Amino acid sequence: MMTGAPTPTYPARPRRSRMRTFLPLGLAAWLVLEIWLLTVVAGALSGFAVFLLLVAGFVLGSVVIKRAGRRAFQNLNEALQRGGAPSSSGSSGNGLMMLGGLLLMIPGLISDAVGLLLLIPPVQKAIGRYAERTFDRKLREAAPGTLGDAFQQARMQRPDGKVVQGEVIVRDEPGDDTPQEPRPPLTR
């Protein structure tokens, strides 16, 4: 059907990152491995022993999360009473402790083993240093101004359902104090 309107051309879709491609496959493999390992251990011991292991992991994980949360809240309270920012020395392992507790609460023996590893202080320090180095490297590799530009973009919804994307331009030039007449609303 010819309407006389030009056919819109859209740019090519960006490639999916490797993380988005392989993460679902990795999660599925992890789930299958957890179930297989639980059945092997249940065959060697008993189903009741596996049930007790899973319940013990859940209870231990909830205790760890509660303890790490209290410690983080206490550090925050002390920092607010001092009037400064929370010190990173006292709360360096709270996030990894909470992650370890969460992994302990998830049913499975592999997640329990990884959760227990995250509770060991030298492992926490090594993972914390690695994460900090990786974050700093990614920050240095980022193009300048990309984060600020992301917050300067605006999207407006038109009444016909189309989305108009644009950028906010801030002019801080001297002499630009001339009053402008009010602009009509964009919802017409």
Side-chain angles (χ1 to χ4, degrees), residues 44-181:
L45 299 175
S46 70
F48 187 68
V50 170
F51 176 73
L52 288 179
L53 278 173
L54 294 177
V55 169
F58 185 83
V59 170
L60 179 64
S62 62
V63 168
V64 166
I65 287 178
K66 186 175 182 179
R67 182 174 159 217
R70 279 189 181 163
R71 197 167 65 180
F73 188 70
Q74 186 178 23
N75 288 342
L76 181 65
N77 266 343
E78 290 172 1
L80 289 175
Q81 288 175 355
R82 283 193 318 260
S87 64
S88 62
S89 62
S91 64
S92 61
N94 286 338
L96 289 174
M97 277 187 73
M98 286 185 185
L99 180 63
L102 179 68
L103 286 172
L104 282 170
M105 289 177 74
I106 294 174
L109 299 176
I110 297 171
S111 62
D112 288 351
V114 173
L116 286 173
L117 272 176
L118 286 177
L119 298 181
I120 301 171
V123 174
Q124 287 179 356
K125 288 180 184 178
I127 291 175
R129 283 193 306 263
Y130 174 75
E132 188 175 347
R133 281 194 312 262
T134 303
F135 183 72
D136 287 342
R137 181 175 42 96
K138 294 284 186 184
L139 219 60
R140 282 192 304 269
E141 290 175 0
T146 54
L147 187 60
D149 290 343
F151 290 112
Q152 292 295 320
Q153 294 201 356
R155 295 185 83 150
M156 292 174 261
Q157 190 80 27
R158 290 181 29 185
D160 57 356
K162 295 181 181 174
V163 176
V164 179
Q165 188 167 352
E167 291 188 19
V168 177
I169 300 173
V170 180
R171 297 181 186 207
D172 292 333
E173 301 170 2
D176 194 24
D177 298 333
T178 58
Q180 296 178 350
E181 59 188 58

